[in-house]
Amino acid sequence: MKIVIIGLGTIGRTILKNLSDEDHTITIIDEDKAKVENLIEKYDVFGVVGNGACLDIQKEANMEDADLAIVLTDSDELNVFACLVAKKIGVKNTIARVRNPDYRKQIIAMKDDLGIAMIVNPEREMANEIFNIINLPSVAQIEHFAKGRVSLVEVVAEKGCSLVGETLITLGKKLQTRVLICAVQRGDEVIIPSGNFRIEEGDRIHFTSEARKLGDFLAETNLVKSPFKNIMIVGGGRIGYYLADALSRKKYAVKLLETDPEKAEELAELLPRVTVVCGNGTQHDILIEEGIEAMDAFVALTDIDEENMIVSMFANKKKVKKSIAQIKSADLFGMLDELGINNTVSPKHIVAGRIIGYIRALANTVGSNVLTMYQLVNDQVEALEFSAKRQEYFYDRPLKDLKIKKNCLVACIIRENETIIPDGNSEIRLGDNVVIVTTHKNFDDLNDVFE
């Protein structure tokens, strides 16, 4: 596909990095000449320096026949206008970053009129991710396939859970609820496990499950935790606002700490069901005074990664059941597990993952069979939902008789109203949707999975 990225901030560069190894023709546009020149040298892309909302700049970038324009500048208004111009000159699909909550309702209502195929809001996306983690205390992350029928779940094998010490074979014999463990992160190592793989304490386990049976599995493995009630959030930016609003609507008792007095006053008016405190949530005495020890969950959302790490460690020390830290720098991820920080969120990874998933699905119309895609374990693993829409040699044959590439796993088969967690005797049939988990990148067809 021919793709244009306008705005080369953190998210734009993350998307470019992920797409650079795929078979796309990519053009980048930004007003920062040094940034454009640096990325042209690093990746095989065409670059234009200038205002991406300007008609002349878009024409210079030869955008007229582009399949997709992704507009990610810091200005919502410029992003929407750039999409309008792009559609006017013939770009088939556009994605715009729109962050201001004041614009949300009208932009969604006018999306089709504006010619925007997808709207992304990094702060709202991240708030939704954190909300899901808090709302399901037992899980570290959850994604969905097949319109919500299949869950891809991450849990931590904590001390006392019945997963520890078991191999996948012995688990399969002991458990009544069928799931498929498809990826394990152990320290810096990522493993697509075989039947003899033995689970150790501290492993981060990704598994597929029929969505309606997820609770049964968590209960059976002693991973169920009591529901949370008291939540403390440090940082009253857009993410903190979206998260506090969502949690308070679900009857959580939310306390939000914000340093800036003017912003704290504004948040108190906007969030009548939230206790807003004006104070520095990275200070020991304030955290103690505001009752961190009585909290079920603690969320650190300051703009400084190191502060988020330190206060999350402090929350763990105070026996808070779940602490969540915003971490923007990829350089810090390697040390998080050793510091006991098990739940982290990164806006660039969340939004880049959503956009790349959209691109894979869009490519479905021009040759790819990818319906849904998620990136796991800091982008080291991909989970892809394929449509088995053409007759292939590997259909109607047991999986155990097929040669599947190393580090690939058939994680789920969706057949009409049936959800199949596969074993060696399962078969893929024409018309199925198939979920694949792999460390390989750039798969765009089910054929890529088999030798």
Side-chain angles (χ1 to χ4, degrees):
M1 292 200 307
K2 184 175 179 181
I3 299 171
V4 181
I5 302 172
I6 300 174
L8 299 171
T10 307
I11 295 172
R13 294 196 304 273
T14 303
I15 292 168
L16 176 60
K17 179 182 176 183
N18 278 273
L19 294 178
S20 60
D21 293 331
E22 301 187 15
D23 189 22
H24 300 297
T25 301
I26 301 174
T27 300
I28 56 175
I29 301 175
D30 197 278
E31 293 186 277
D32 187 328
K33 183 179 179 181
K35 193 178 290 183
V36 172
E37 289 177 346
N38 177 262
L39 292 172
I40 289 173
E41 287 181 17
K42 193 171 183 179
Y43 304 106
D44 183 19
V45 296
F46 174 64
V48 174
V49 177
N51 182 345
C54 177
L55 178 63
D56 291 340
I57 294 296
Q58 291 199 9
K59 285 185 174 180
E60 184 182 342
N62 297 315
M63 285 179 58
E64 292 91 338
D65 59 345
D67 296 292
L68 176 66
I70 307 167
V71 192
L72 302 165
T73 78
D74 289 333
S75 167
D76 291 348
E77 296 83 359
L78 189 148
N79 294 344
V80 172
F81 187 66
C83 287
L84 279 169
V85 175
K87 288 296 288 185
K88 187 71 175 175
I89 68 171
V91 176
K92 297 179 183 67
N93 301 278
T94 63
I95 295 173
R97 176 166 73 175
V98 179
R99 305 165 73 185
N100 191 328
D102 294 338
Y103 294 157
R104 176 175 166 76
K105 287 183 180 178
Q106 59 261 45
I107 291 291
I108 290 175
M110 298 168 62
K111 190 172 74 163
D112 292 338
D113 295 332
L114 294 169
I116 300 173
M118 180 183 184
I119 293 168
V120 292
N121 181 331
E123 289 80 10
R124 183 176 283 276
E125 294 274 1
M126 198 155 106
N128 289 341
E129 185 95 355
I130 299 169
F131 178 86
N132 288 334
I133 293 171
I134 290 172
N135 211 34
L136 284 167
S138 308
V139 309
Q141 186 177 1
I142 185 167
E143 307 286 4
H144 299 287
F145 292 100
K147 299 179 180 178
R149 288 167 53 192
V150 178
S151 297
L152 176 62
V153 183
E154 178 187 351
V155 296
V156 179
E158 297 175 343
K159 185 176 181 180
C161 91
S162 58
L163 297 173
V164 175
E166 298 286 351
T167 67
L168 303 199
I169 292 173
T170 58
L171 268 179
K173 292 176 180 177
K174 286 184 177 181
L175 297 177
Q176 294 183 2
T177 310
R178 185 158 177 75
V179 304
L180 187 71
I181 295 175
C182 44
V184 177
Q185 182 184 3
R186 180 174 291 167
D188 294 332
E189 187 181 9
V190 179
I191 304 156
I192 304 293
S194 61
N196 293 317
F197 178 84
R198 190 176 300 277
I199 296 169
E200 297 179 2
E201 185 179 327
D203 285 348
R204 301 183 74 88
I205 298 167
H206 298 261
F207 65 89
T208 51
S209 164
E210 195 172 349
R212 62 191 178 90
K213 294 183 179 178
L214 173 58
D216 295 338
F217 172 77
L218 295 173
E220 199 174 349
T221 52
N222 298 323
L223 283 167
V224 170
K225 298 179 180 176
S226 56
F228 292 161
K229 177 173 175 56
N230 299 304
I231 318 295
M232 179 179 284
I233 303 169
V234 173
R238 284 186 177 137
I239 303 167
Y241 163 74
Y242 285 129
L243 178 60
D245 184 47
L247 289 170
S248 65
R249 290 176 188 274
K250 285 289 186 178
K251 309 301 182 185
Y252 288 96
V254 182
K255 184 169 284 190
L256 175 60
L257 278 62
E258 167 55 43
T259 307
D260 182 78
E262 191 173 326
K263 187 182 286 185
E265 187 176 343
E266 181 185 358
L267 287 167
E269 291 180 10
L270 292 170
L271 300 167
R273 291 180 292 269
V274 175
T275 302
V276 179
V277 176
C278 181
N280 187 343
T282 64
Q283 290 183 355
H284 171 276
D285 291 351
I286 289 177
L287 290 171
I288 294 295
E289 185 180 326
E290 295 303 330
I292 189 172
E293 293 165 296
M295 295 295 154
D296 297 307
F298 177 87
V299 188
L301 297 173
T302 78
D303 289 328
I304 301 171
D305 288 351
E306 292 78 7
E307 286 187 354
N308 292 335
M309 291 169 66
I310 290 168
V311 293
S312 294
M313 290 165 63
F314 181 65
N316 290 340
K317 189 79 173 174
K318 293 299 176 183
K319 307 299 183 186
V320 175
K321 294 172 186 172
K322 181 164 283 192
S323 62
I324 303 164
Q326 173 181 234
I327 304 294
K328 298 176 183 177
S329 171
D331 296 335
L332 296 173
F333 281 111
M335 64 180 72
L336 297 177
D337 281 344
E338 293 185 39
L339 295 173
I341 302 171
N342 290 326
N343 296 281
T344 60
V345 284
S346 165
K348 69 176 182 181
H349 287 123
I350 292 169
V351 175
R354 298 285 185 269
I355 292 174
I356 292 162
Y358 174 86
I359 292 169
R360 296 283 183 89
L362 180 63
N364 186 34
T365 62
V366 290
S368 169
N369 289 334
V370 178
L371 300 174
T372 316
M373 189 274 287
Y374 297 109
Q375 294 179 315
L376 315 172
V377 198
N378 303 328
D379 302 340
Q380 296 178 71
V381 176
E382 288 189 353
L384 306 110
E385 180 182 0
F386 290 100
S387 171
K389 64 183 183 182
R390 296 187 305 268
Q391 188 63 52
E392 301 287 358
Y393 75 91
F394 48 81
Y395 291 175
D396 305 312
R397 294 175 60 187
L399 293 176
K400 65 185 179 183
D401 295 341
L402 298 173
K403 234 184 156 179
I404 298 174
K405 287 180 180 175
K406 188 179 179 182
N407 291 327
C408 285
L409 196 65
V410 180
C412 188
I413 299 170
I414 303 100
R415 181 174 299 144
E416 296 179 347
N417 295 320
E418 186 180 7
T419 301
I420 302 165
I421 303 298
D423 57 23
N425 295 313
S426 302
E427 300 174 352
I428 298 171
R429 299 177 187 171
L430 182 66
D432 289 347
N433 286 359
V434 184
V435 178
I436 301 293
V437 174
T438 178
T439 57
H440 296 273
K441 296 297 178 72
N442 310 330
F443 282 3
D444 66 2
D445 193 277
L446 202 49
N447 272 303
D448 294 332
V449 176
F450 299 93
E451 296 282 5

